[in-house]
């Protein structure tokens, strides 16, 4: 495990949430230790977060940030940004966000937000990152906790029950293993989220009622961007599009991105796509190989190749 090093005489210039707090954070020992650590193990941060909550350091952090807001600190900031989320820290190991959670009640899969607004939630997603959550404020959240059923090979979730979290509580969720379902939010709750940047390549989706797996999607920004670019190339082809798609197939480490490149090529230029399809039948990933073989059989059956 990575060893945590507690700061002794912190740097003269320190930036938190984009603000220069200088040397005014002397009383935030545990928070500073969290910010300074580059550990990639979420368990290294949990005791520090608990200690910070017990010592009231998050209130102290809010006071320091308010003191540091001035006209100069606002220069160059985007005018369009969410009002209920603050990025406390982002470094090579972790991201820390502070989010205000709206009051809501969840009845039979329908969430009721202030003003009578409703939204249906039928899907549960496994977290792709290890994460710790600190519950701040004078409100409380009821969460239904779930995890992958050990003997199901990831096909099902098991329900661990409903738990209530309030001011100062800390909860840790493991990537690819756990998920939580919000049942209700009462009062004012600010949720501090410490997320380890290392993550799974895929997010697994489950039906909220049956708890059975329904599909997967990309958890990687780069992979998602590549898939989006391929959608654009298909709709608005430009010179060099086919070469770029071939390059994506040859270079991407994500098997689902490689397969999408094959599919997109087939839709844009059947003959050129068929050439890459044949190569895909020897892909490193078994799912790509199986999909390629089936596609080759279908195309041959209809005389396309």
């Amino acid at each position: 495990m990575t060893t945590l090093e507690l700061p002794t005489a912190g740097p003269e210039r320190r930036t938190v949430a984009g603000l220069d707090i200088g040397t005014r954070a002397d009383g935030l020992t545990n928070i500073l230790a969290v910010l300074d650590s580059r550990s990639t193990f979420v368990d290294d941060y949990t005791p520090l977060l608990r200690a910070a909550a017990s010592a009231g350091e998050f209130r102290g952090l809010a006071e320091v940030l308010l003191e540091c807001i001035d006209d100069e600190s606002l220069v160059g900031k985007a005018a369009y940004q969410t009002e209920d989320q603050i990025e406390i820290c982002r470094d090579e190991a972790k991201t820390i966000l502070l989010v205000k959670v709206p009051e809501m009640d969840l009845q039979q899969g329908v969430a009721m937000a202030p003003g009578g607004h409703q939204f249906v939630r039928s899907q549960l997603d496994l977290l792709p990152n290890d994460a710790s959550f600190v519950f701040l404020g004078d409100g409380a959240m009821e969460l239904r906790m779930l995890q992958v059923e050990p003997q199901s090979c990831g096909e099902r979730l098991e329900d661990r029950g409903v738990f209530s979290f309030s001011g100062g509580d800390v909860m840790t969720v493991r990537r690819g293993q756990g998920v939580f379902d919000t049942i209700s939010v009462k009062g004012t709750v600010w949720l501090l989220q410490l997320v380890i940047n290392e993550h799974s390549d895929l997010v697994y989706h489950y039906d909220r009622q049956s708890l059975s797996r329904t599909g997967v999607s990309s958890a990687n920004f780069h992979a998602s961007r590549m898939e989006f670019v391929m959608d654009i190339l298909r709709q608005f082809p430009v010179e060099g599009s086919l070469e770029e798609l071939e390059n994506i197939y040859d270079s991407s480490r994500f098997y689902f991105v490689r397969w999408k490149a094959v599919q997109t090529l087939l839709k844009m230029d059947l003959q050129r796509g068929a050439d890459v399809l044949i190569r895909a039948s020897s892909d490193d990933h078994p799912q790509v190989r199986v999909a390629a073989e089936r596609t080759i059989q279908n195309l041959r059956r209809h005389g396309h190749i």
Side-chain angles (χ1 to χ4, degrees), residues 200-222:
S200 308
D201 288 340
L202 297 175
V203 176
Y204 291 84
H205 310 298
Y206 295 81
D207 179 78
R208 189 175 179 274
Q209 299 300 323
S210 69
L211 303 185
S212 297
R213 191 164 73 187
T214 58
V216 298
S217 62
S218 171
N220 183 281
F221 285 117
H222 170 71

Side-chain angles (χ1 to χ4, degrees), residues 5-244:
E5 296 183 2
L6 295 179
T8 52
E12 292 186 2
R13 177 180 176 84
R14 181 186 290 276
T15 300
V16 178
L19 300 174
D20 179 14
I21 64 174
T23 58
R24 284 176 278 191
D26 293 338
L28 308 180
T29 304
N30 295 290
I31 289 178
L32 295 183
V34 169
L35 297 177
D36 290 345
S37 171
R38 295 299 182 269
S39 173
T40 56
F41 297 95
V42 71
D43 289 336
D44 286 344
Y45 296 98
T46 303
L48 294 170
L49 293 172
R50 292 187 189 280
S54 297
E57 290 187 18
F58 292 107
R59 182 182 297 275
L61 176 63
E63 293 173 351
V64 169
L65 293 179
L66 285 174
E67 291 175 2
C68 295
I69 294 177
D70 53 30
D71 291 339
E72 184 177 349
S73 70
L74 298 176
V75 172
K77 302 294 183 181
Y80 179 77
Q81 50 189 316
T82 58
E83 62 182 16
D84 56 357
Q85 177 174 300
I86 301 171
E87 182 179 296
I88 300 295
C89 166
R90 187 184 297 271
D91 58 41
E92 64 272 22
K94 65 188 177 298
T95 300
I96 304 177
L97 301 170
L98 185 60
V99 180
K100 186 177 182 181
V101 186
E103 285 194 86
M104 67 175 67
D105 283 307
L106 195 60
Q107 297 295 333
Q108 299 179 347
V110 178
M112 297 292 298
H117 302 295
Q118 296 185 2
F119 55 95
V120 178
R121 300 196 337 172
S122 59
Q123 181 175 282
L124 297 170
D125 300 332
L126 284 184
L127 266 67
N129 304 68
D130 285 338
S132 279
F133 302 86
V134 185
F135 298 82
L136 305 170
D138 56 10
M141 291 183 68
E142 276 191 319
L143 302 178
R144 178 190 183 199
M145 306 300 298
L146 306 103
Q147 69 177 31
V148 174
E149 197 174 274
Q151 306 304 320
S152 72
C153 297
E155 292 296 324
R156 286 184 54 81
L157 297 176
E158 61 179 6
D159 197 329
R160 305 304 301 273
V162 176
F163 299 85
S164 180
F165 297 90
S166 55
D169 288 339
V170 179
M171 174 185 76
T172 297
V173 181
R174 308 292 175 183
R175 69 177 181 178
Q177 299 179 32
V179 59
F180 60 87
D181 185 16
T182 303
I183 302 300
S184 68
V185 182
K186 298 178 181 178
T188 301
V189 176
W190 283 85
L191 194 61
L192 185 90
Q193 307 174 37
L194 186 150
V195 183
I196 301 300
N197 291 344
E198 291 181 355
H199 56 77
S200 308
D201 288 340
L202 297 175
V203 176
Y204 291 84
H205 310 298
Y206 295 81
D207 179 78
R208 189 175 179 274
Q209 299 300 323
S210 69
L211 303 185
S212 297
R213 191 164 73 187
T214 58
V216 298
S217 62
S218 171
N220 183 281
F221 285 117
H222 170 71
S224 297
R225 187 178 298 114
M226 296 302 293
E227 291 182 299
F228 180 60
V229 166
M230 284 188 279
D231 287 335
I232 294 175
L233 289 177
R234 181 187 168 194
Q235 295 297 324
F236 307 100
V238 296
E239 185 177 352
S241 295
L242 300 180
E243 289 80 2
E244 185 59 36

Side-chain angles (χ1 to χ4, degrees), residues 225-296:
R225 187 178 298 114
M226 296 302 293
E227 291 182 299
F228 180 60
V229 166
M230 284 188 279
D231 287 335
I232 294 175
L233 289 177
R234 181 187 168 194
Q235 295 297 324
F236 307 100
V238 296
E239 185 177 352
S241 295
L242 300 180
E243 289 80 2
E244 185 59 36
L245 288 166
E246 288 190 31
N247 289 335
I248 290 173
Y249 174 78
D250 290 331
S251 62
S252 179
R253 69 182 180 89
F254 302 103
Y255 73 90
F256 47 91
V257 172
R258 295 199 301 275
W259 179 241
K260 179 153 187 173
V262 175
Q263 291 176 302
T264 306
L265 272 166
L266 287 169
K267 291 170 182 175
M268 294 178 64
D269 187 312
L270 181 58
Q271 188 56 54
R272 196 153 179 176
D275 293 339
V276 179
L277 178 65
I278 299 298
R279 287 157 52 196
S281 63
S282 301
D283 193 271
D284 291 337
H285 198 280
Q287 291 184 24
V288 175
R289 294 198 300 271
V290 170
E293 288 289 353
R294 289 176 179 172
T295 304
I296 290 170

